[in-house]
Amino acid sequence: MSVAPPAPARTAGRIYYGWYIVGAALATNGMSACLQGYSTGVFFVPMTDDLGWTRTEFIVALTISQFVMAIVGALIGGLIDRHGGRMLMISGAVVTSVALLATAEVDELWQWLVLRGVAQAIGVGLGGLLVANVVLSKWFVRYRGRALGIAVTGLSLAGVLTPTLLTPIVDDYGWRTGWRVLAIATALLMISAALVMRRQPEDHGLLPDGRAADDPGADAEAQRARLDYDTSLTRAHAIRSTSLWLLIAAFGLGGLSFTALGAQTIPFLTDSGFSRTTAAGMLSLFALPGLLTRAFWGVLAERIQPRLLAAAAFLATAAAMAIIIPAAHSGSTPLVALGFLTFGCGIAGFVPIQEVIWASFFGRRYLGGVRGIAMPFQLVFSAAGPIVVSLYYDAFASYDGVFAALALCALLATVLVLGAPMPRERRPEPASGEREPGAVLAPAATRREAPAATRREAPAADGGMRATGAPRGDPPDAAESPSAAGGVPPPSPAAPRRGAPLLVIAAGCAVLLIVAAALRAKRRGPALRAEPRRTADVDARSTRPR
């Protein structure tokens, strides 16, 4: 295990180190979005035309990558909690850069599937947004919303810069040069971000949110951060919570359209008669609201119930799909732009609100392990989006029906996220005092100050002493209670909710039914298209002079 050099303890006038983590997470999120989303549309048409692949064959690699990233996410969740993200991100940057350089030499479909579907996915999974956002959530409690909002602005920044900068390179110098440029950019940005990462503020004698011991209200903020830490749900407790499965289903269904439309925007609009330049501009346009408003969404999450904000984001994506489909058919550039702006507003809120919800529902101590559970399911949903859209297009030569289905999925996600209850262990008891929306307090049985005698002391970076909650190597599923280190009694475990996973299974079955219908339609498509020709031949023979 590599031990990172300690970050300096905060003194008066010094910037809290957590904000450096925010900057590193912003760069990591941007590079991840570029590699896994926005760059796909830039390479789509040039590679399929040059190598003679169908759109479905090209998209299959993206589907494989989502499954691979799901496996990687499940494996590394506990590692993030125990060791932080630094070495994981360095490893991911090296793997991704090498895979990108190799992708520039692709000639066969199997090479594309291995490099784009497996190698790049392993690299991005090791060093991508899961690692960055989990680490960031550990550095903030009160200001978690704004910190995450700023960090995920990198996703929108990638959406603006990737098509704008990469499309001219691919068009002028070829798609192989484009992959090489991405390899260099990945190595520079991701390794630089990795060197900034630290596991959690307590390892360096700091309090979450940058509060110093002598700040006004420091005791209350320290207790709040401590309670958030002590009442965190372990992975085993989270699995037994209905909330986990409802949130997985909600964010899975709500996110189906993001990867699908991100990968298909350029071909969808060019098929509708728009130029590649206009299509690339629309791809950048739906990233623009996120660039301007994601931090605002994060601040709102500190004041408004995050579930309400998530519902608003899902409704925005559904409305956007309803605008884009007829606008593209009519050839109206302003209406298409309005649709993509609305879609961008939904995406802008989706990511930061999701991260805030996970941390507020399950706490920060074992957040990596909990997110490791949810990540495979969410990525399976994300993987289904592009492949279902491509299969539908290959069968019907149209995007209308499948885009309408994605809008319905967003509406269903709205219902699920509103119905997700806060885990019982994390619910605050009713109190007359005002409480910030979305804030998490311990149950009454656990809401008391930890006895000082039970808190271990360890050397701090500046030679002083700091309180620690647990040894650095504690596994996320350790048998002891998450409150053991602070002397706070553990919350009672949630009763098993065996029916909750059925919601995820049912949602997955719905996706599979859509895939099966698209495959069946694809097989029937050639016969249906041939029928008019056979009818025309019969008519011609019947009218031929004898």
Side-chain angles (χ1 to χ4, degrees):
M1 180 184 89
S2 173
V3 179
R10 178 175 176 260
T11 58
R14 180 173 291 177
I15 297 175
Y16 175 51
Y17 195 81
W19 294 111
Y20 295 104
I21 303 287
V22 171
L26 186 150
T28 303
N29 285 326
M31 206 65 236
S32 298
C34 169
L35 295 173
Q36 288 296 304
Y38 296 111
S39 64
T40 302
V42 177
F43 290 104
F44 203 137
V45 174
M47 289 188 69
T48 53
D49 288 349
D50 187 31
L51 300 173
W53 300 338
T54 66
R55 296 184 179 185
T56 300
E57 289 172 336
F58 182 91
I59 289 293
V60 163
L62 277 69
T63 303
I64 294 173
S65 73
Q66 297 296 316
F67 286 102
V68 173
M69 289 181 65
I71 296 171
V72 173
L75 294 176
I76 68 172
L79 294 177
I80 303 170
D81 292 329
R82 291 193 293 270
H83 309 304
R86 192 181 192 197
M87 292 310 300
L88 288 171
M89 291 177 65
I90 292 175
S91 302
V94 172
V95 172
T96 305
S97 300
V98 172
L100 290 169
L101 288 173
T103 303
E105 310 302 326
V106 161
D107 288 311
E108 302 292 337
L109 180 62
W110 69 267
Q111 297 170 343
W112 166 250
L113 298 178
V114 170
L115 291 172
R116 176 63 179 84
V118 179
Q120 289 187 36
I122 291 174
V124 175
L126 288 173
L129 57 89
L130 172 64
V131 178
N133 292 338
V134 166
V135 171
L136 179 58
S137 295
K138 293 174 181 286
W139 281 80
F140 293 90
V141 176
R142 181 178 180 84
Y143 301 125
R144 183 180 287 148
R146 67 190 66 186
L148 285 166
I150 294 170
V152 299
T153 301
L155 304 178
S156 301
L157 191 62
V160 173
L161 295 180
T162 300
T164 304
L165 299 179
L166 193 58
T167 300
I169 294 174
V170 172
D171 290 347
D172 295 342
Y173 300 100
W175 59 267
R176 297 184 189 273
T177 300
W179 287 115
R180 297 185 185 107
V181 169
L182 277 182
I184 296 171
T186 298
L188 292 174
L189 282 177
M190 292 184 70
I191 292 177
S192 299
L195 295 176
V196 178
M197 285 293 171
R198 303 290 188 271
R199 189 174 76 107
Q200 61 184 21
E202 290 84 354
D203 293 343
H204 308 285
L206 299 173
L207 296 175
D209 301 303
R211 290 279 183 176
D214 57 351
D215 285 345
D219 290 342
E221 292 300 327
Q223 184 181 20
R224 174 179 179 162
R226 186 70 183 181
L227 289 172
D228 179 80
Y229 190 86
D230 288 336
T231 60
S232 298
L233 270 67
T234 64
R235 181 161 50 192
H237 286 165
I239 289 174
R240 295 195 294 270
S241 169
T242 302
S243 305
L244 176 75
W245 302 103
L246 286 172
L247 292 176
I248 287 173
F251 289 117
L253 290 171
L256 276 173
S257 59
F258 297 163
T259 53
L261 192 60
Q264 301 279 357
T265 291
I266 292 180
F268 166 64
L269 291 178
T270 53
D271 287 351
S272 300
F274 295 89
S275 67
R276 266 181 63 82
T277 302
T278 301
M282 295 299 174
L283 191 60
S284 298
L285 190 61
F286 87 70
L288 184 61
L291 184 63
L292 300 176
T293 65
R294 269 192 166 133
F296 178 69
W297 279 95
V299 173
L300 281 180
E302 298 171 3
R303 293 165 169 79
I304 300 174
Q305 284 292 337
R307 283 177 293 182
L308 298 178
L309 297 176
F314 294 144
L315 291 174
T317 60
M321 302 300 284
I323 296 172
I324 290 171
I325 295 171
H329 282 300
S330 67
S332 173
T333 301
L335 281 178
V336 171
L338 175 62
F340 277 98
L341 279 172
T342 306
F343 193 81
C345 290
I347 295 179
F350 178 87
V351 179
I353 299 304
Q354 176 184 197
E355 297 296 340
V356 170
I357 285 177
W358 286 116
S360 64
F361 268 54
F362 302 102
R364 63 190 176 96
R365 186 176 184 184
Y366 303 111
L367 185 59
V370 174
R371 293 289 280 117
I373 299 168
M375 181 63 71
F377 293 98
Q378 290 183 265
L379 290 178
V380 166
F381 280 106
S382 296
I387 192 66
V388 167
V389 171
S390 293
L391 287 171
Y392 188 93
Y393 178 85
D394 288 344
F396 298 103
S398 171
Y399 290 97
D400 295 356
V402 71
F403 280 0
L406 293 178
L408 293 176
C409 288
L411 294 177
L412 178 58
T414 303
V415 176
L416 292 176
V417 78
L418 290 175
M422 180 70 71
R424 183 164 57 88
E425 298 86 347
R426 307 264 302 165
R427 292 177 195 166
E429 70 174 7
S432 59
E434 184 178 355
R435 184 178 65 86
E436 183 179 0
V440 176
L441 299 177
T446 66
R447 190 157 49 250
R448 66 174 180 266
E449 186 69 23
T454 64
R455 303 177 71 174
R456 294 192 297 275
E457 299 289 334
D462 57 358
M465 302 300 291
R466 63 176 171 85
T468 59
R472 184 171 177 131
D474 278 358
D477 289 327
E480 75 264 13
S481 155
S483 305
V488 180
S492 57
R497 308 289 181 90
R498 295 183 178 86
L502 295 177
L503 293 170
V504 179
I505 295 173
C509 290
V511 173
L512 290 176
L513 287 174
I514 296 175
V515 174
L519 287 171
R520 181 179 180 185
K522 181 180 179 181
R523 290 195 299 268
R524 295 180 58 194
L528 293 175
R529 286 192 292 268
E531 185 63 31
R533 290 196 296 269
R534 289 196 298 269
T535 303
D537 291 342
V538 171
D539 292 341
R541 285 195 298 269
S542 63
T543 58
R544 186 178 302 161
R546 298 181 180 177

